[in-house]
Every structure is written in structure tokens, then in C-alpha cells.
Amino acid sequence: MTQRTVLVVLFDGVQSLDVTGPVEVFTGAEIRTPGSYRIRTASLDGAPLRTSSGLTVVPDQTLAAASDPHTLLVPGGQGTRRPDPDLVAWLRAHGPRASRLVSVCTGAILLAAAGLLDGHRATTHWAYCEKLARDHPAVDVDPDPIYVRDGHVATSAGVTSGIDLALALVEEDLGRDVALTVARHLVVFLRRPGNQAQFSAQLAAQTARRAPLREVQQWITEHPEDDLSVEALAARATLSPRHFARAFQAETGTTPGRYVDRVRLEHARRLLEDTGEGVEEVSRASGYGTPEAMRRAFLKALGTTPAEYRRRFSPAPVRQPR
């Protein structure tokens, strides 16, 4: 078995879970398949450092003393807000020597500052995607997925998504059984699909201040297959359609139509990922009415058809019609 060295880059203000989450995954895989991974941590000076939560972490070594790794993992945290020029220079010089470049959360900002994401599709924490795209126009930033694989570059969204990405890498390296064993030990899902949205429709929109509007938001989430026209929703909130539409947008930051579209898409994606329901059943249950209407919605939002989406991301066998 080829041993893969995983080098985790540390710096002051690093997010502790960005470090410990993936390290626990790779260490768990090493325990179950000895000789598979060698995990090392390193910083510029090798001295103890403070994480963003105040924990003290002691690196194994200095970056200068580190050998070229198979997997170079760069976590995020407050320390990425003003990237250390010396750290960026080290990444620029040594990053191309790694077989696999991985970032967690805002670690993508450090990789981008070193020019290592130019020409690649990448993601980061949703709150920093706009900044990443603005500051580094050569990077193809996708704000939606929890992680993105593009060749030898793998980037993940906020915090816990680093665990999802690490599990996906272990599954690629050592197989599903090892990854499943590690996931069970950590009491997490083996695989949240990388394209899974960073946050749900409810979190993407603001929560309305007024109770009737909050209740309508909840109703939409629980009944995507119902009549969710502005008129029907306005009646549920006991408001005129015009007043309802204006109040909903003012309090949630989005229009009723866009909110309904996102909820229905999210519901359909979940059914395709987690169930064996047929496409026609999924389209009805999600409020699209027909498979063709759902197909158009998927192509517009995701650039793929429901059937292709399921083929790529669903572990569940599709139920065959009788």
C-alpha cells in the first residue's frame, strides 16, 4: 500500500474544526488501514499558535522542514482575512509539488492568493464566495456546493464540510468500506453529495418578523406540492396579494416566487438523492406537476437533468415501474 502524506498548514487564527475534522477522518482511516496515511501539521515557525476559538495548537514542524506531501490541506479561519505574505509565498512555491491540493472553508482564499486556484472551479464558505470571486477573477467560484472537486484541486465550504470532503477523499483512496467505518465512528454521514447546497432555502432567506409570514414560509417548506401562487399564499396570510408580495420580499429578502422555486428544487434534489421514487413521482411531490417542468427547472438552476443528477449523486437504487 502506498502511504499518502497529509500536510496540514497551520497559522494564527486558524479555525480549529477545519483542522481537527479532516485530521480525525484521515487518522481514523490510518487506524483501520495502517500505512495508508501519515498526517503532519506545520506552520511557518513551528511555534505554538492560537486558533480562532482560543485553543492553543502545537505544530509538528516548520513548513521549511516539511517534505513535499501527497495531500496539502489548507484550513480556514480568521487568519485568512489578512493572509500572511510569507505563508502565501510558501504555498505558491510548494503547492504545485503536492499531488492533491485541499482547502477547508476560507483556506481557499490562501490558495487563491498563491495563484493555485486560477482556472479551477472552487468554493468556500458562503459568506466569502463573493469576496473570493471579486478578489480572484481567474477562479471559477461556485457558491452553492459543500465541496468541489476539479482535477487535483478540492475545495470545501464552511467548517463541517471539510469532514465531508475528507471522507470523499478517503473513499477515493481506500474504498467505500473504510470511509463508511470512519463515518460510523465519527457519527456522521458517509457522503453528503458534494453538490449539496451549503444552506437550505429557509436559511438562504431571512426569517420574516411577522408571525403570519413566518407561518407561510413554513407552509411552503412542508407543502411544496400545493398551490403556492401569490394569491393562495396571500390568502393564508390574510393579506391582499399585492401587500403580501411586498411584505414577503421586504422581510425575507426574496420574492415569494423565488422562495417557492428554491424550496421545490431543494425538495426534488433531496428525493432524487435519498429515495428510489420515479422522476414522475418526484415531480408531483415537489410541486412541478410534470417531469418536463422539473427538467426545465433543473436545467436552469443546475445545468443538468433530474435523471443525470440522480445518476451522479444518488446511492439509492431507482425503483422500477411495475
Side-chain angles (χ1 to χ4, degrees):
M1 180 183 298
T2 300
Q3 186 179 59
R4 298 171 174 85
T5 300
V6 178
L7 180 64
V8 183
V9 176
L10 301 182
F11 48 86
D12 281 315
V14 71
Q15 165 70 253
S16 57
L17 193 54
D18 288 3
V19 176
T20 58
V23 165
E24 289 290 348
V25 171
F26 289 118
T27 300
E30 166 62 21
I31 291 171
R32 286 154 184 82
T33 53
S36 55
Y37 294 108
R38 179 174 180 264
I39 302 99
R40 306 292 290 170
T41 59
S43 67
L44 283 171
D45 60 9
L49 52 87
R50 300 275 283 183
T51 70
S52 58
S53 60
L55 294 174
T56 298
V57 177
V58 182
D60 293 317
Q61 61 190 140
T62 65
L63 286 171
S67 58
D68 293 337
H70 173 273
T71 299
L72 180 63
L73 191 150
V74 182
Q78 293 177 1
T80 66
R81 294 179 183 176
R82 295 181 179 83
D84 185 323
D86 291 336
L87 179 56
V88 172
W90 187 92
L91 289 171
R92 184 179 295 114
H94 294 268
R97 302 178 188 176
S99 298
R100 191 160 60 193
L101 287 174
V102 178
S103 69
V104 181
C105 197
T106 54
I109 292 175
L110 297 178
L111 290 183
L116 299 173
L117 297 185
D118 288 356
H120 288 283
R121 179 168 165 258
T123 194
T124 187
H125 189 289
W126 62 267
Y128 292 90
C129 283
E130 185 177 343
K131 172 180 171 56
L132 181 62
R134 182 180 64 249
D135 294 348
H136 303 282
V139 181
D140 180 11
V141 179
D142 189 340
D144 191 45
I146 60 172
Y147 63 81
V148 169
R149 301 288 305 279
D150 187 0
H152 73 292
V153 176
T155 54
S156 61
V159 195
T160 58
S161 60
I163 296 175
D164 296 294
L165 177 53
L167 284 168
L169 297 177
V170 167
E171 184 174 2
E172 175 185 292
D173 294 341
L174 305 175
R176 181 178 176 84
D177 289 344
V178 175
L180 179 59
T181 301
V182 174
R184 284 172 174 164
H185 179 74
L186 296 176
V187 198
V188 296
F189 292 106
L190 168 59
R191 180 179 65 88
R192 284 196 294 169
N195 73 308
Q196 184 172 335
Q198 291 196 35
F199 41 78
S200 65
Q202 299 94 305
L203 293 178
Q206 303 165 32
T207 300
R209 294 190 303 274
R210 283 181 278 182
L213 295 181
R214 288 199 304 272
E215 290 168 3
V216 166
Q217 285 183 284
Q218 186 65 28
W219 173 265
I220 293 171
T221 301
E222 295 175 354
H223 302 85
E225 76 286 2
D226 277 19
D227 178 5
L228 301 180
S229 64
V230 169
E231 290 75 16
L233 297 176
R236 183 164 293 278
T238 63
L239 296 171
S240 71
R242 185 175 181 181
H243 186 191
F244 168 78
R246 285 198 293 201
F248 190 95
Q249 182 165 6
E251 295 199 18
T252 67
T254 189
T255 66
R258 290 197 187 106
Y259 188 81
V260 168
D261 287 345
R262 185 164 188 132
V263 167
R264 283 177 167 163
L265 183 68
E266 182 180 303
H267 188 263
R269 289 169 71 170
R270 188 162 55 246
L271 290 179
L272 290 171
E273 291 168 11
D274 298 336
T275 77
E277 297 294 323
V279 170
E280 186 169 350
E281 294 167 298
V282 171
S283 66
R284 286 199 304 268
S286 303
Y288 289 110
T290 66
E292 178 57 29
M294 185 169 74
R295 181 176 181 276
R296 290 196 300 268
F298 268 63
L299 285 171
K300 180 180 178 180
L302 304 175
T304 189
T305 65
E308 175 63 16
Y309 181 92
R310 165 170 270 163
R311 188 187 70 77
R312 292 173 59 194
F313 299 112
S314 173
V318 178
R319 190 175 68 196
Q320 298 299 321
R322 295 175 182 175

